[in-house]
Amino acid sequence: MDINYAEEIDNLRTNDDFLEKREQWLGHTVVIMGFHTICNVEQTAAKLQQHVAEAAASSGNLSDLLRLIGSVAHSNAAAAVSAIQDGKLVVYVVSRMQYYVVEPVPCLLERPVDTPSNENVLQGSQNAFNEDIDTNIGLVRKQYHSPNLRVKSFIAGTHSQKKLAVLYDQQHVDPELLKKAIDQIESKLDMEINNVQNVSKMLGLSPWQAISKFNTTELAQEGVASLTDGRLILFVDRIPVALVFPNLLWDMFVMGNDRNYPQLLMVAIRTVRILGLILTVLVPGFYVALVAVNPEVLRIELALTVAHSREAVPYPAITEVILMLVILELIMEASVRLPKAIGPTITVVGGIILGQAVVTAKLVSNLLIIILAATTIANSTVVGFQNSLSIRLFKYLLVALAAIYGVLGILVGLVFLCAYLASLNTLDVSYIKFSLKRRET
C-alpha cells in the first residue's frame, strides 16, 4: 500500500542518494529512511532486523523493541528531516505516524585525529582539532579533567542548520562575559553560520576591525590553556579550529606550550616574539624616515653607506618600500595557495631570483632587501596567523606617515596605534587586558 508522508519527507525523497526500506516489525509496517552517502542504511537495517528477531522470539512488543534500539520519538516531520540530514537513520512507524531516530552504522567521512597542519608545536601534545564538533569536544575533555568544565550546545540556522558548542570553566570564567556571550548566541540562532565572520555577527562584533576578536587554534592543549585563563571556546561544526574569545593583545606572544620549557627559556622566547613585533612594525617606517626625511639623524658614515646603496635607484624611498612590500605579500600569499609539493620551492627560488634581479637592475637598494627579509622573518615570530596578518597591515600605516613626517610621523602613528588597540573590546572586555582569570577570594 502507498504511504502518505509529510511534505518535508517527500522533499527528501527527490534526492537520488535517499534510501527508504519498508519492513514488517512485529506485525507493524515500518519504513527505514536515510541518506546512504552519509550512513550505511543496509548494514544498519540488518542489525535492526536482528533485534526484531530477538524481540519476536521473546514475545516482545513494538514499544519494547523501540526502547531497546535507543531511539527518540518525533511526531514532527521537520525534526525527523533534521536528524536525517545530520547523518542519522529514521524509522517511521506507519500505524503510529511517529518517527524514531536511530544511530546508524556510519560511513567513514571524517578525518581521524591527526597532527596539526598549520601550527607547529615542540614538546607538547600533537592532537589537532578536525571538522567534527563532537571529536573536538572530546579532545578538550581528554586533556582537561576538571569537574568545572561545562559544555553548552546550540543549533543555529534555519536553511542549513549548524551545531555550535561553547566550552568554559565554571570556576575561572567571568559570569558577566559568559552571560553576554550566551545571550547573544541565543538571540540570533536563526542566523546561518558558515564561517567565522558569521560567528562574529552572531556575537554582535564588528566585522570591520583589523584585529580579530577570536584567537583561532587547532591545538587541543592551547584550547585547554585558554579555559584556565577564563576564556570561552566556541566550536562550530565543520570548522576545524577552536575559536577562543575574547582575543587579547598578550595572545600574540604567549602559548600554553611555552610552559613546557624552563622558566628562563620561556621568558626569553616570549621576549624574542615581542622584539619580532617591534621590528616588523617599525623597521620599514624607519628606513623611509631616515632615508627620505631625516637623514641628519644618521651618523655620517652610515648616511654615506645608505646613499651609496641607493645610488641609481630611480624613485623615492616610499615607492621603493611599497613596491617590495607588495611583492613580498604576493610571495607569501602564493606560498599559501600553491600545492604543498611545489609551494616552498617556487616561493624560495622566486624570492631569491627576484631579489637578486631587482638589486642588479638598480630598482631597489641592497639595504632594503636586507631590511625586508629581516622584517618578514620577524613577522613570523608572533603567535597566530591572524595576528601576523594584522601586524602586516599596521606597518603600511607607519610607512605612509614616515614618508610625510619622518621620525615624528612614526611616533604619531604609534600613538594612534596604541589608542586604537586600547579602544578595542570584546563583549566589554578590553583587548589590552592582561588576563581574564578570576582570582580566588
PDB file of all heavy atoms in Angstrom, residues 392-428:
ATOM      1  N   ARG A 392      51.111  42.916   9.626  1.00  0.00           N
ATOM      2  CA  ARG A 392      51.492  43.284   8.254  1.00  0.00           C
ATOM      3  C   ARG A 392      50.669  44.468   7.760  1.00  0.00           C
ATOM      4  O   ARG A 392      51.145  45.278   6.970  1.00  0.00           O
ATOM      5  CB  ARG A 392      51.301  42.083   7.340  1.00  0.00           C
ATOM      6  CG  ARG A 392      52.386  41.034   7.473  1.00  0.00           C
ATOM      7  CD  ARG A 392      51.930  39.649   7.055  1.00  0.00           C
ATOM      8  NE  ARG A 392      51.468  39.591   5.685  1.00  0.00           N
ATOM      9  CZ  ARG A 392      50.988  38.487   5.123  1.00  0.00           C
ATOM     10  NH1 ARG A 392      50.905  37.367   5.820  1.00  0.00           N
ATOM     11  NH2 ARG A 392      50.581  38.503   3.865  1.00  0.00           N
ATOM     12  N   LEU A 393      49.449  44.612   8.231  1.00  0.00           N
ATOM     13  CA  LEU A 393      48.614  45.742   7.827  1.00  0.00           C
ATOM     14  C   LEU A 393      49.056  47.030   8.499  1.00  0.00           C
ATOM     15  O   LEU A 393      49.096  48.096   7.878  1.00  0.00           O
ATOM     16  CB  LEU A 393      47.149  45.423   8.160  1.00  0.00           C
ATOM     17  CG  LEU A 393      46.111  46.456   7.740  1.00  0.00           C
ATOM     18  CD1 LEU A 393      46.075  46.600   6.220  1.00  0.00           C
ATOM     19  CD2 LEU A 393      44.732  46.072   8.272  1.00  0.00           C
ATOM     20  N   PHE A 394      49.409  46.952   9.771  1.00  0.00           N
ATOM     21  CA  PHE A 394      49.756  48.157  10.526  1.00  0.00           C
ATOM     22  C   PHE A 394      51.039  48.814  10.017  1.00  0.00           C
ATOM     23  O   PHE A 394      51.187  50.044  10.101  1.00  0.00           O
ATOM     24  CB  PHE A 394      49.915  47.827  12.010  1.00  0.00           C
ATOM     25  CG  PHE A 394      48.623  47.486  12.690  1.00  0.00           C
ATOM     26  CD1 PHE A 394      48.581  46.509  13.666  1.00  0.00           C
ATOM     27  CD2 PHE A 394      47.447  48.149  12.344  1.00  0.00           C
ATOM     28  CE1 PHE A 394      47.389  46.190  14.294  1.00  0.00           C
ATOM     29  CE2 PHE A 394      46.248  47.820  12.966  1.00  0.00           C
ATOM     30  CZ  PHE A 394      46.218  46.845  13.949  1.00  0.00           C
ATOM     31  N   LYS A 395      51.986  48.020   9.514  1.00  0.00           N
ATOM     32  CA  LYS A 395      53.255  48.622   9.114  1.00  0.00           C
ATOM     33  C   LYS A 395      53.094  49.545   7.907  1.00  0.00           C
ATOM     34  O   LYS A 395      53.886  50.475   7.725  1.00  0.00           O
ATOM     35  CB  LYS A 395      54.308  47.555   8.847  1.00  0.00           C
ATOM     36  CG  LYS A 395      54.020  46.637   7.670  1.00  0.00           C
ATOM     37  CD  LYS A 395      55.056  45.516   7.614  1.00  0.00           C
ATOM     38  CE  LYS A 395      54.744  44.532   6.491  1.00  0.00           C
ATOM     39  NZ  LYS A 395      55.646  43.372   6.512  1.00  0.00           N
ATOM     40  N   TYR A 396      52.051  49.322   7.086  1.00  0.00           N
ATOM     41  CA  TYR A 396      51.812  50.225   5.962  1.00  0.00           C
ATOM     42  C   TYR A 396      51.419  51.614   6.457  1.00  0.00           C
ATOM     43  O   TYR A 396      51.784  52.631   5.855  1.00  0.00           O
ATOM     44  CB  TYR A 396      50.728  49.659   5.052  1.00  0.00           C
ATOM     45  CG  TYR A 396      51.170  48.475   4.238  1.00  0.00           C
ATOM     46  CD1 TYR A 396      50.884  47.181   4.646  1.00  0.00           C
ATOM     47  CD2 TYR A 396      51.882  48.648   3.062  1.00  0.00           C
ATOM     48  CE1 TYR A 396      51.286  46.086   3.891  1.00  0.00           C
ATOM     49  CE2 TYR A 396      52.300  47.558   2.306  1.00  0.00           C
ATOM     50  CZ  TYR A 396      51.996  46.280   2.729  1.00  0.00           C
ATOM     51  OH  TYR A 396      52.416  45.208   1.985  1.00  0.00           O
ATOM     52  N   LEU A 397      50.655  51.674   7.542  1.00  0.00           N
ATOM     53  CA  LEU A 397      50.284  52.969   8.120  1.00  0.00           C
ATOM     54  C   LEU A 397      51.515  53.737   8.561  1.00  0.00           C
ATOM     55  O   LEU A 397      51.660  54.939   8.269  1.00  0.00           O
ATOM     56  CB  LEU A 397      49.340  52.738   9.308  1.00  0.00           C
ATOM     57  CG  LEU A 397      49.016  53.966  10.157  1.00  0.00           C
ATOM     58  CD1 LEU A 397      48.247  54.998   9.345  1.00  0.00           C
ATOM     59  CD2 LEU A 397      48.230  53.568  11.406  1.00  0.00           C
ATOM     60  N   LEU A 398      52.443  53.068   9.251  1.00  0.00           N
ATOM     61  CA  LEU A 398      53.641  53.747   9.734  1.00  0.00           C
ATOM     62  C   LEU A 398      54.558  54.147   8.575  1.00  0.00           C
ATOM     63  O   LEU A 398      55.212  55.205   8.632  1.00  0.00           O
ATOM     64  CB  LEU A 398      54.392  52.849  10.715  1.00  0.00           C
ATOM     65  CG  LEU A 398      53.652  52.517  12.014  1.00  0.00           C
ATOM     66  CD1 LEU A 398      54.534  51.709  12.940  1.00  0.00           C
ATOM     67  CD2 LEU A 398      53.184  53.780  12.715  1.00  0.00           C
ATOM     68  N   VAL A 399      54.621  53.336   7.527  1.00  0.00           N
ATOM     69  CA  VAL A 399      55.429  53.695   6.359  1.00  0.00           C
ATOM     70  C   VAL A 399      54.888  54.953   5.705  1.00  0.00           C
ATOM     71  O   VAL A 399      55.649  55.864   5.326  1.00  0.00           O
ATOM     72  CB  VAL A 399      55.470  52.519   5.366  1.00  0.00           C
ATOM     73  CG1 VAL A 399      56.008  52.986   4.008  1.00  0.00           C
ATOM     74  CG2 VAL A 399      56.328  51.393   5.905  1.00  0.00           C
ATOM     75  N   ALA A 400      53.559  55.059   5.582  1.00  0.00           N
ATOM     76  CA  ALA A 400      52.953  56.244   4.961  1.00  0.00           C
ATOM     77  C   ALA A 400      53.214  57.491   5.789  1.00  0.00           C
ATOM     78  O   ALA A 400      53.566  58.559   5.249  1.00  0.00           O
ATOM     79  CB  ALA A 400      51.451  56.023   4.787  1.00  0.00           C
ATOM     80  N   LEU A 401      53.070  57.400   7.110  1.00  0.00           N
ATOM     81  CA  LEU A 401      53.323  58.561   7.980  1.00  0.00           C
ATOM     82  C   LEU A 401      54.802  58.922   7.977  1.00  0.00           C
ATOM     83  O   LEU A 401      55.151  60.119   8.035  1.00  0.00           O
ATOM     84  CB  LEU A 401      52.844  58.260   9.394  1.00  0.00           C
ATOM     85  CG  LEU A 401      51.315  58.164   9.580  1.00  0.00           C
ATOM     86  CD1 LEU A 401      50.980  57.720  10.996  1.00  0.00           C
ATOM     87  CD2 LEU A 401      50.659  59.512   9.287  1.00  0.00           C
ATOM     88  N   ALA A 402      55.680  57.919   7.934  1.00  0.00           N
ATOM     89  CA  ALA A 402      57.117  58.199   7.916  1.00  0.00           C
ATOM     90  C   ALA A 402      57.517  58.929   6.640  1.00  0.00           C
ATOM     91  O   ALA A 402      58.414  59.786   6.661  1.00  0.00           O
ATOM     92  CB  ALA A 402      57.896  56.895   8.043  1.00  0.00           C
ATOM     93  N   ALA A 403      56.885  58.638   5.513  1.00  0.00           N
ATOM     94  CA  ALA A 403      57.211  59.312   4.251  1.00  0.00           C
ATOM     95  C   ALA A 403      56.812  60.781   4.279  1.00  0.00           C
ATOM     96  O   ALA A 403      57.398  61.599   3.566  1.00  0.00           O
ATOM     97  CB  ALA A 403      56.510  58.601   3.097  1.00  0.00           C
ATOM     98  N   ILE A 404      55.814  61.117   5.111  1.00  0.00           N
ATOM     99  CA  ILE A 404      55.340  62.504   5.160  1.00  0.00           C
ATOM    100  C   ILE A 404      56.031  63.304   6.264  1.00  0.00           C
ATOM    101  O   ILE A 404      56.519  64.417   6.041  1.00  0.00           O
ATOM    102  CB  ILE A 404      53.813  62.535   5.369  1.00  0.00           C
ATOM    103  CG1 ILE A 404      53.119  61.785   4.236  1.00  0.00           C
ATOM    104  CG2 ILE A 404      53.303  63.974   5.439  1.00  0.00           C
ATOM    105  CD1 ILE A 404      51.628  61.603   4.447  1.00  0.00           C
ATOM    106  N   TYR A 405      56.118  62.724   7.475  1.00  0.00           N
ATOM    107  CA  TYR A 405      56.599  63.466   8.640  1.00  0.00           C
ATOM    108  C   TYR A 405      57.891  62.909   9.223  1.00  0.00           C
ATOM    109  O   TYR A 405      58.379  63.422  10.237  1.00  0.00           O
ATOM    110  CB  TYR A 405      55.532  63.469   9.737  1.00  0.00           C
ATOM    111  CG  TYR A 405      54.217  64.053   9.297  1.00  0.00           C
ATOM    112  CD1 TYR A 405      53.109  63.235   9.113  1.00  0.00           C
ATOM    113  CD2 TYR A 405      54.075  65.416   9.051  1.00  0.00           C
ATOM    114  CE1 TYR A 405      51.893  63.751   8.697  1.00  0.00           C
ATOM    115  CE2 TYR A 405      52.864  65.940   8.641  1.00  0.00           C
ATOM    116  CZ  TYR A 405      51.779  65.106   8.459  1.00  0.00           C
ATOM    117  OH  TYR A 405      50.579  65.627   8.061  1.00  0.00           O
ATOM    118  N   GLY A 406      58.440  61.868   8.648  1.00  0.00           N
ATOM    119  CA  GLY A 406      59.693  61.336   9.148  1.00  0.00           C
ATOM    120  C   GLY A 406      59.526  60.602  10.469  1.00  0.00           C
ATOM    121  O   GLY A 406      58.517  59.936  10.727  1.00  0.00           O
ATOM    122  N   VAL A 407      60.534  60.738  11.336  1.00  0.00           N
ATOM    123  CA  VAL A 407      60.510  60.065  12.636  1.00  0.00           C
ATOM    124  C   VAL A 407      59.314  60.528  13.465  1.00  0.00           C
ATOM    125  O   VAL A 407      58.690  59.732  14.184  1.00  0.00           O
ATOM    126  CB  VAL A 407      61.829  60.313  13.383  1.00  0.00           C
ATOM    127  CG1 VAL A 407      61.778  59.696  14.785  1.00  0.00           C
ATOM    128  CG2 VAL A 407      63.006  59.740  12.606  1.00  0.00           C
ATOM    129  N   LEU A 408      58.978  61.807  13.373  1.00  0.00           N
ATOM    130  CA  LEU A 408      57.811  62.315  14.097  1.00  0.00           C
ATOM    131  C   LEU A 408      56.531  61.598  13.642  1.00  0.00           C
ATOM    132  O   LEU A 408      55.659  61.294  14.463  1.00  0.00           O
ATOM    133  CB  LEU A 408      57.669  63.818  13.869  1.00  0.00           C
ATOM    134  CG  LEU A 408      56.464  64.489  14.551  1.00  0.00           C
ATOM    135  CD1 LEU A 408      56.547  64.325  16.054  1.00  0.00           C
ATOM    136  CD2 LEU A 408      56.392  65.962  14.165  1.00  0.00           C
ATOM    137  N   GLY A 409      56.428  61.305  12.356  1.00  0.00           N
ATOM    138  CA  GLY A 409      55.267  60.583  11.854  1.00  0.00           C
ATOM    139  C   GLY A 409      55.168  59.187  12.435  1.00  0.00           C
ATOM    140  O   GLY A 409      54.060  58.696  12.721  1.00  0.00           O
ATOM    141  N   ILE A 410      56.325  58.518  12.631  1.00  0.00           N
ATOM    142  CA  ILE A 410      56.298  57.186  13.243  1.00  0.00           C
ATOM    143  C   ILE A 410      55.798  57.270  14.675  1.00  0.00           C
ATOM    144  O   ILE A 410      54.987  56.451  15.124  1.00  0.00           O
ATOM    145  CB  ILE A 410      57.708  56.561  13.188  1.00  0.00           C
ATOM    146  CG1 ILE A 410      58.127  56.319  11.742  1.00  0.00           C
ATOM    147  CG2 ILE A 410      57.750  55.257  13.980  1.00  0.00           C
ATOM    148  CD1 ILE A 410      59.516  55.760  11.592  1.00  0.00           C
ATOM    149  N   LEU A 411      56.269  58.285  15.415  1.00  0.00           N
ATOM    150  CA  LEU A 411      55.807  58.451  16.799  1.00  0.00           C
ATOM    151  C   LEU A 411      54.305  58.726  16.847  1.00  0.00           C
ATOM    152  O   LEU A 411      53.586  58.175  17.688  1.00  0.00           O
ATOM    153  CB  LEU A 411      56.585  59.582  17.470  1.00  0.00           C
ATOM    154  CG  LEU A 411      58.096  59.355  17.624  1.00  0.00           C
ATOM    155  CD1 LEU A 411      58.759  60.574  18.257  1.00  0.00           C
ATOM    156  CD2 LEU A 411      58.360  58.113  18.464  1.00  0.00           C
ATOM    157  N   VAL A 412      53.826  59.570  15.956  1.00  0.00           N
ATOM    158  CA  VAL A 412      52.388  59.845  15.900  1.00  0.00           C
ATOM    159  C   VAL A 412      51.619  58.579  15.545  1.00  0.00           C
ATOM    160  O   VAL A 412      50.559  58.280  16.133  1.00  0.00           O
ATOM    161  CB  VAL A 412      52.098  60.971  14.890  1.00  0.00           C
ATOM    162  CG1 VAL A 412      50.593  61.126  14.675  1.00  0.00           C
ATOM    163  CG2 VAL A 412      52.690  62.287  15.373  1.00  0.00           C
ATOM    164  N   GLY A 413      52.142  57.802  14.602  1.00  0.00           N
ATOM    165  CA  GLY A 413      51.488  56.560  14.223  1.00  0.00           C
ATOM    166  C   GLY A 413      51.421  55.576  15.375  1.00  0.00           C
ATOM    167  O   GLY A 413      50.399  54.887  15.563  1.00  0.00           O
ATOM    168  N   LEU A 414      52.496  55.506  16.177  1.00  0.00           N
ATOM    169  CA  LEU A 414      52.485  54.612  17.331  1.00  0.00           C
ATOM    170  C   LEU A 414      51.447  55.059  18.361  1.00  0.00           C
ATOM    171  O   LEU A 414      50.786  54.207  18.983  1.00  0.00           O
ATOM    172  CB  LEU A 414      53.875  54.567  17.970  1.00  0.00           C
ATOM    173  CG  LEU A 414      54.945  53.803  17.191  1.00  0.00           C
ATOM    174  CD1 LEU A 414      56.292  53.903  17.885  1.00  0.00           C
ATOM    175  CD2 LEU A 414      54.543  52.332  17.038  1.00  0.00           C
ATOM    176  N   VAL A 415      51.307  56.374  18.535  1.00  0.00           N
ATOM    177  CA  VAL A 415      50.299  56.872  19.471  1.00  0.00           C
ATOM    178  C   VAL A 415      48.903  56.478  19.007  1.00  0.00           C
ATOM    179  O   VAL A 415      48.073  55.987  19.790  1.00  0.00           O
ATOM    180  CB  VAL A 415      50.415  58.397  19.630  1.00  0.00           C
ATOM    181  CG1 VAL A 415      49.226  58.960  20.406  1.00  0.00           C
ATOM    182  CG2 VAL A 415      51.714  58.765  20.324  1.00  0.00           C
ATOM    183  N   PHE A 416      48.630  56.674  17.717  1.00  0.00           N
ATOM    184  CA  PHE A 416      47.316  56.300  17.175  1.00  0.00           C
ATOM    185  C   PHE A 416      47.100  54.788  17.257  1.00  0.00           C
ATOM    186  O   PHE A 416      45.980  54.331  17.558  1.00  0.00           O
ATOM    187  CB  PHE A 416      47.186  56.767  15.727  1.00  0.00           C
ATOM    188  CG  PHE A 416      46.784  58.203  15.584  1.00  0.00           C
ATOM    189  CD1 PHE A 416      47.664  59.142  15.057  1.00  0.00           C
ATOM    190  CD2 PHE A 416      45.532  58.634  15.984  1.00  0.00           C
ATOM    191  CE1 PHE A 416      47.299  60.470  14.936  1.00  0.00           C
ATOM    192  CE2 PHE A 416      45.155  59.958  15.859  1.00  0.00           C
ATOM    193  CZ  PHE A 416      46.038  60.879  15.335  1.00  0.00           C
ATOM    194  N   LEU A 417      48.152  54.020  16.997  1.00  0.00           N
ATOM    195  CA  LEU A 417      48.034  52.563  17.056  1.00  0.00           C
ATOM    196  C   LEU A 417      47.726  52.096  18.481  1.00  0.00           C
ATOM    197  O   LEU A 417      46.852  51.241  18.692  1.00  0.00           O
ATOM    198  CB  LEU A 417      49.325  51.918  16.553  1.00  0.00           C
ATOM    199  CG  LEU A 417      49.371  50.390  16.523  1.00  0.00           C
ATOM    200  CD1 LEU A 417      48.241  49.824  15.670  1.00  0.00           C
ATOM    201  CD2 LEU A 417      50.727  49.900  16.017  1.00  0.00           C
ATOM    202  N   CYS A 418      48.429  52.666  19.462  1.00  0.00           N
ATOM    203  CA  CYS A 418      48.168  52.301  20.858  1.00  0.00           C
ATOM    204  C   CYS A 418      46.751  52.715  21.281  1.00  0.00           C
ATOM    205  O   CYS A 418      46.067  51.962  21.990  1.00  0.00           O
ATOM    206  CB  CYS A 418      49.206  52.956  21.774  1.00  0.00           C
ATOM    207  SG  CYS A 418      50.886  52.303  21.575  1.00  0.00           S
ATOM    208  N   ALA A 419      46.323  53.894  20.823  1.00  0.00           N
ATOM    209  CA  ALA A 419      44.968  54.344  21.153  1.00  0.00           C
ATOM    210  C   ALA A 419      43.921  53.426  20.519  1.00  0.00           C
ATOM    211  O   ALA A 419      42.894  53.112  21.142  1.00  0.00           O
ATOM    212  CB  ALA A 419      44.767  55.778  20.682  1.00  0.00           C
ATOM    213  N   TYR A 420      44.188  52.980  19.299  1.00  0.00           N
ATOM    214  CA  TYR A 420      43.251  52.071  18.621  1.00  0.00           C
ATOM    215  C   TYR A 420      43.160  50.736  19.361  1.00  0.00           C
ATOM    216  O   TYR A 420      42.057  50.210  19.594  1.00  0.00           O
ATOM    217  CB  TYR A 420      43.700  51.843  17.182  1.00  0.00           C
ATOM    218  CG  TYR A 420      42.943  50.762  16.471  1.00  0.00           C
ATOM    219  CD1 TYR A 420      41.613  50.941  16.086  1.00  0.00           C
ATOM    220  CD2 TYR A 420      43.547  49.539  16.187  1.00  0.00           C
ATOM    221  CE1 TYR A 420      40.910  49.930  15.440  1.00  0.00           C
ATOM    222  CE2 TYR A 420      42.857  48.527  15.537  1.00  0.00           C
ATOM    223  CZ  TYR A 420      41.536  48.736  15.172  1.00  0.00           C
ATOM    224  OH  TYR A 420      40.849  47.737  14.550  1.00  0.00           O
ATOM    225  N   LEU A 421      44.312  50.194  19.754  1.00  0.00           N
ATOM    226  CA  LEU A 421      44.303  48.924  20.479  1.00  0.00           C
ATOM    227  C   LEU A 421      43.593  49.053  21.820  1.00  0.00           C
ATOM    228  O   LEU A 421      42.865  48.147  22.251  1.00  0.00           O
ATOM    229  CB  LEU A 421      45.736  48.414  20.682  1.00  0.00           C
ATOM    230  CG  LEU A 421      46.527  48.071  19.413  1.00  0.00           C
ATOM    231  CD1 LEU A 421      47.925  47.597  19.776  1.00  0.00           C
ATOM    232  CD2 LEU A 421      45.813  47.018  18.585  1.00  0.00           C
ATOM    233  N   ALA A 422      43.796  50.197  22.491  1.00  0.00           N
ATOM    234  CA  ALA A 422      43.145  50.406  23.783  1.00  0.00           C
ATOM    235  C   ALA A 422      41.640  50.565  23.646  1.00  0.00           C
ATOM    236  O   ALA A 422      40.891  50.309  24.591  1.00  0.00           O
ATOM    237  CB  ALA A 422      43.741  51.635  24.472  1.00  0.00           C
ATOM    238  N   SER A 423      41.181  50.994  22.471  1.00  0.00           N
ATOM    239  CA  SER A 423      39.740  51.193  22.269  1.00  0.00           C
ATOM    240  C   SER A 423      38.994  49.905  21.951  1.00  0.00           C
ATOM    241  O   SER A 423      37.763  49.867  22.009  1.00  0.00           O
ATOM    242  CB  SER A 423      39.508  52.195  21.129  1.00  0.00           C
ATOM    243  OG  SER A 423      39.892  51.636  19.874  1.00  0.00           O
ATOM    244  N   LEU A 424      39.734  48.857  21.605  1.00  0.00           N
ATOM    245  CA  LEU A 424      39.087  47.604  21.236  1.00  0.00           C
ATOM    246  C   LEU A 424      38.562  46.869  22.456  1.00  0.00           C
ATOM    247  O   LEU A 424      39.197  46.867  23.520  1.00  0.00           O
ATOM    248  CB  LEU A 424      40.071  46.694  20.492  1.00  0.00           C
ATOM    249  CG  LEU A 424      40.600  47.200  19.146  1.00  0.00           C
ATOM    250  CD1 LEU A 424      41.628  46.217  18.594  1.00  0.00           C
ATOM    251  CD2 LEU A 424      39.461  47.373  18.150  1.00  0.00           C
ATOM    252  N   ASN A 425      37.414  46.258  22.305  1.00  0.00           N
ATOM    253  CA  ASN A 425      36.874  45.407  23.362  1.00  0.00           C
ATOM    254  C   ASN A 425      35.983  44.344  22.741  1.00  0.00           C
ATOM    255  O   ASN A 425      35.423  44.538  21.669  1.00  0.00           O
ATOM    256  CB  ASN A 425      36.115  46.224  24.417  1.00  0.00           C
ATOM    257  CG  ASN A 425      34.837  46.823  23.867  1.00  0.00           C
ATOM    258  OD1 ASN A 425      33.801  46.159  23.784  1.00  0.00           O
ATOM    259  ND2 ASN A 425      34.902  48.095  23.477  1.00  0.00           N
ATOM    260  N   THR A 426      35.893  43.241  23.428  1.00  0.00           N
ATOM    261  CA  THR A 426      35.038  42.126  23.009  1.00  0.00           C
ATOM    262  C   THR A 426      34.085  41.808  24.145  1.00  0.00           C
ATOM    263  O   THR A 426      34.522  41.373  25.222  1.00  0.00           O
ATOM    264  CB  THR A 426      35.877  40.882  22.673  1.00  0.00           C
ATOM    265  OG1 THR A 426      36.863  41.222  21.690  1.00  0.00           O
ATOM    266  CG2 THR A 426      35.008  39.761  22.155  1.00  0.00           C
ATOM    267  N   LEU A 427      32.800  42.094  23.930  1.00  0.00           N
ATOM    268  CA  LEU A 427      31.795  41.890  24.976  1.00  0.00           C
ATOM    269  C   LEU A 427      32.222  42.583  26.263  1.00  0.00           C
ATOM    270  O   LEU A 427      32.176  42.020  27.358  1.00  0.00           O
ATOM    271  CB  LEU A 427      31.567  40.392  25.206  1.00  0.00           C
ATOM    272  CG  LEU A 427      31.078  39.588  24.003  1.00  0.00           C
ATOM    273  CD1 LEU A 427      30.930  38.122  24.359  1.00  0.00           C
ATOM    274  CD2 LEU A 427      29.781  40.138  23.461  1.00  0.00           C
ATOM    275  N   ASP A 428      32.677  43.841  26.085  1.00  0.00           N
ATOM    276  CA  ASP A 428      33.090  44.722  27.188  1.00  0.00           C
ATOM    277  C   ASP A 428      34.369  44.256  27.888  1.00  0.00           C
ATOM    278  O   ASP A 428      34.653  44.684  29.011  1.00  0.00           O
ATOM    279  CB  ASP A 428      31.969  44.877  28.222  1.00  0.00           C
ATOM    280  CG  ASP A 428      30.755  45.585  27.653  1.00  0.00           C
ATOM    281  OD1 ASP A 428      30.928  46.378  26.704  1.00  0.00           O
ATOM    282  OD2 ASP A 428      29.633  45.332  28.127  1.00  0.00           O
TER     283      ASP A 428
END
